[in-house]
């Protein structure tokens, strides 16, 4: 679907689909169904008091300014902008989902099989991907995507004018989410879509950047009360759901890559939280689940708590592996190898000197080998640390010294030790 001359009118397809989903929800309400058509057994959050239909909007912030600046050159670029946005949105839709252009600078999407929270999260993933694609289109670097999700009462859609009810609901959420004076809308969108990143991991045995380690944009380091643990869980479940969507996209292209997801041990403490994590993982295609690993931070009171053992049992039928993440200066906290794919340590944010880190890496690697672990070292910022980790027996290494973080999964690359000196090679080539 390309650019449209419509200024606000929506096509019959989206409006009819909204009405049909609303009617179905009302009919199924008494048949063990949750919002958005997801069964109660699959829903990961408490049901609202009434059935609602989630509709998400995407608006290109700054489009009018770019159009005014480009004048006669705008029509050619507009075609590319809208084609890019449509391509990204369509790639994330499943059977039953519908989208339509909304005005000259936006789109509306009905996620027919998702609940409101899932729809909002997926919309942020789509917005982030559109932004990344547009950044490569020259003048479109001035653009950004503002995304909002309205949970519209199904009864209101069934009883009234669908377009009127939809318009009123969208106006309400966009007004509520409007940025404060002096804060650009583009900045708000940036904050919403900066959810997670991937560190390419060098497998030193296979000599490839084959694995990717997913981590939250702002990882949690210390937990001093239950409230912080709850916030860390929200970060972890959002990260897992983001990885699920990325892996589903890979599977749709016939590809799969090993991924490790870093989460906190405290996220396993509550039954409902473990269940939500398992529900999210179950949405990953089976072949991809077999090469997915959950990396769990080791708390000071030991790794194999009831919550961790319970998660291990729940993960086995899915084929998802577990790994432990241990502080570099606390190798004695390393759990026994039984049931674990690897033991990792993360140097990111460590204030210690390089010489001290190298000594600790040697001790950590020796203990891991003695216990039969494959081990990994992340957050390595210098060539010396990378080579020291390899010498200490670490199979998996990552960090700025190996490869910068990336925002999405990419094809594996061959990676040799000489590649650590790519910057030196480039400097020598320029000098010659």
């Amino acid at each position: 679907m390309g650019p449209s001359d419509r200024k606000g009118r929506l096509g019959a397809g989206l409006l009819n689909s909204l009405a049909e989903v609303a009617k179905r929800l009302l009919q199924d309400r008494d048949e063990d169904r949750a919002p958005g058509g997801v069964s109660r057994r699959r829903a990961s959050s408490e049901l609202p008091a009434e059935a609602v239909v989630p509709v998400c909007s995407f608006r290109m912030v700054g489009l009018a300014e770019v159009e005014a600046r480009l004048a006669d050159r705008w029509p050619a670029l507009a075609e590319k902008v809208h084609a890019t946005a449509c391509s990204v949105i369509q790639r994330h839709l499943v059977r039953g989902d519908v989208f339509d252009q909304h005005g000259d600078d936006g789109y509306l999407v009905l996620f027919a099989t998702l609940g409101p929270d899932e729809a909002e999260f997926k919309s942020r993933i789509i917005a982030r991907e559109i932004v990344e694609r547009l950044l490569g289109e020259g003048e479109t670097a001035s653009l950004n995507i503002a995304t909002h999700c309205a949970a519209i009462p199904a009864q209101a859609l069934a009883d009234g004018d669908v377009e009127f009810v939809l318009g009123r609901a969208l106006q309400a959420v966009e007004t509520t989410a409007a940025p404060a004076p002096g804060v650009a809308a583009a900045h708000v969108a940036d904050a919403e879509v900066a959810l997670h990143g991937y560190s390419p991991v060098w497998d030193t045995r296979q000599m490839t950047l084959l694995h990717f380690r997913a981590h939250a944009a702002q990882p949690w380091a210390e937990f001093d009360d239950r409230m912080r643990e709850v916030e860390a869980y929200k970060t972890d479940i959002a990260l897992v759901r983001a990885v699920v969507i990325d892996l589903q996209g890979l599977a749709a292209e016939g590809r799969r890559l090993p991924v490790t997801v870093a989460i906190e041990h405290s996220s396993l403490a509550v039954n409902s939280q473990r269940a939500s994590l398992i529900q999210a993982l179950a949405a990953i295609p089976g072949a991809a689940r077999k090469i997915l690993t959950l990396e769990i931070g080791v708390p000071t009171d030991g790794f194999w708590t009831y919550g961790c053992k319970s998660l291990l049992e729940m993960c086995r039928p899915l084929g998802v592996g577990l790994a432990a993440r241990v502080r570099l200066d606390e190798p004695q906290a390393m759990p026994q190898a039984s049931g674990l794919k690897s033991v990792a340590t993360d140097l990111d944010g460590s204030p210690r000197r390089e010489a001290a880190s190298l000594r600790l890496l040697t001790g950590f690697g020796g203990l891991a080998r003695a216990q039969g672990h494959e081990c990994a070292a992340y957050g390595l910022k210098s060539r010396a640390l990378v080579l020291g980790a390899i010498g200490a027996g670490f199979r998996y290494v990552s960090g700025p010294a190996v490869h910068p973080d990336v925002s999405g999964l990419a094809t594996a690359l061959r990676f040799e030790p000489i590649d650590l000196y790519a910057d030196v090679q480039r400097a020598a080539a320029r000098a010659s």
Side-chain angles (χ1 to χ4, degrees):
M1 184 181 69
S4 171
D5 294 330
R6 287 177 281 116
K7 296 298 181 181
R9 297 291 299 177
L10 288 164
L14 178 63
L15 298 177
N16 290 339
S17 295
L18 278 168
E20 290 172 4
V21 169
K23 291 176 182 176
R24 175 171 55 81
L25 281 175
L26 293 172
Q27 291 171 353
D28 292 348
R29 191 64 175 172
D30 296 328
E31 299 178 9
D32 195 31
R33 303 297 293 180
V38 181
S39 73
R40 291 179 194 270
R41 291 181 293 275
R42 286 181 53 208
S44 60
S45 58
E46 186 177 341
L47 286 172
E50 61 181 342
V52 294
V53 179
V55 179
C56 298
S57 71
F58 300 88
R59 192 153 308 278
M60 299 181 190
V61 178
L63 196 66
E65 289 80 358
V66 174
E67 181 177 358
R69 187 168 66 250
L70 294 181
D72 294 341
R73 291 188 295 143
W74 168 245
L77 184 61
E79 190 75 27
K80 294 181 180 179
V81 169
H82 285 285
T84 296
C86 289
S87 172
V88 172
I89 292 171
Q90 286 176 323
R91 198 171 68 82
H92 287 275
L93 302 185
V94 299
R95 184 176 181 179
D97 293 348
V98 181
F99 86 106
D100 196 5
Q101 188 166 344
H102 189 216
D104 289 336
D105 61 353
Y107 300 88
L108 294 181
V109 181
L110 164 64
F111 295 110
T113 60
L114 299 182
D117 291 343
E118 295 167 309
E120 181 175 7
F121 183 78
K122 190 169 186 178
S123 73
R124 292 182 180 186
I125 297 295
I126 293 173
R128 185 196 69 201
E129 187 173 331
I130 294 175
V131 170
E132 291 171 353
R133 292 276 298 275
L134 290 180
L135 286 177
E137 296 288 348
E139 293 285 350
T140 61
S142 305
L143 297 179
N144 222 308
I145 308 296
T147 177
H148 306 290
C149 189
I152 308 173
Q155 195 67 57
L157 288 169
D159 293 345
D161 182 325
V162 175
E163 188 165 15
F164 173 77
V165 172
L166 172 62
R168 186 174 59 184
L170 289 171
Q171 184 179 17
V173 295
E174 291 175 1
T175 300
T176 303
V183 179
H187 294 167
V188 174
D190 282 342
E192 288 181 345
V193 299
L195 298 173
H196 69 296
Y198 290 96
S199 298
V201 178
W202 182 17
D203 182 336
T204 62
R205 185 176 300 169
Q206 297 187 19
M207 289 299 177
T208 57
L209 287 174
L210 177 66
H211 291 67
F212 290 83
R213 179 178 182 255
H215 54 82
Q218 296 180 329
W220 294 81
E222 303 293 338
F223 303 96
D224 50 17
D225 56 40
R226 177 58 185 159
M227 186 60 68
R228 287 178 63 82
E229 290 183 353
V230 170
E231 292 303 314
Y233 162 71
K234 291 179 180 178
T235 299
D236 285 346
I237 190 65
L239 174 63
V240 172
R241 287 171 176 164
V243 172
V244 168
I245 291 172
D246 290 345
L247 290 176
Q248 288 172 335
L250 271 186
E253 300 172 4
R255 301 168 54 207
R256 60 193 184 107
L257 291 168
V259 174
T260 295
V261 187
I263 66 173
E264 299 299 334
H265 194 285
S266 61
S267 295
L268 314 180
V270 179
N271 288 339
S272 60
Q273 293 178 180
R274 293 194 298 274
S276 293
L277 288 168
I278 293 298
Q279 287 165 356
L281 294 171
I284 300 174
R289 287 201 305 265
K290 295 177 181 178
I291 51 176
L292 180 77
T293 303
L294 282 185
E295 176 199 298
I296 304 168
V298 175
T300 55
D301 55 353
F303 183 74
W304 289 116
T305 61
Y306 172 79
C308 195
K309 291 178 180 177
S310 178
L311 185 80
L312 176 61
E313 293 302 317
M314 297 167 78
C315 281
R316 279 176 177 159
L318 298 178
V320 175
L322 291 188
R325 183 175 67 257
V326 183
R327 287 172 59 98
L328 183 60
D329 55 359
E330 295 180 0
Q332 69 279 2
M334 195 179 298
Q336 295 299 312
S338 177
L340 294 178
K341 294 182 70 173
S342 64
V343 169
T345 191
D346 190 355
L347 280 69
D348 191 30
S350 172
R352 66 177 64 89
R353 293 179 181 274
E354 188 174 86
S357 293
L358 287 169
R359 287 195 298 271
L360 290 170
L361 284 168
T362 299
F364 191 104
L367 181 58
R369 289 197 307 276
Q371 294 191 12
H373 289 301
E374 292 277 19
C375 54
Y378 305 127
L380 303 176
K381 295 182 172 65
S382 72
R383 281 186 280 265
L385 288 174
V386 175
L387 296 174
I390 295 172
F394 287 78
R395 177 176 176 179
Y396 305 108
V397 293
S398 77
V402 176
H403 195 287
D405 280 3
V406 296
S407 58
L409 299 173
T411 304
L413 301 173
R414 188 78 185 169
F415 194 83
E416 303 285 355
I418 191 63
D419 294 321
L420 289 172
Y421 298 88
D423 57 335
V424 177
Q425 296 177 68
R426 286 193 296 269
R430 286 195 297 268
S432 62

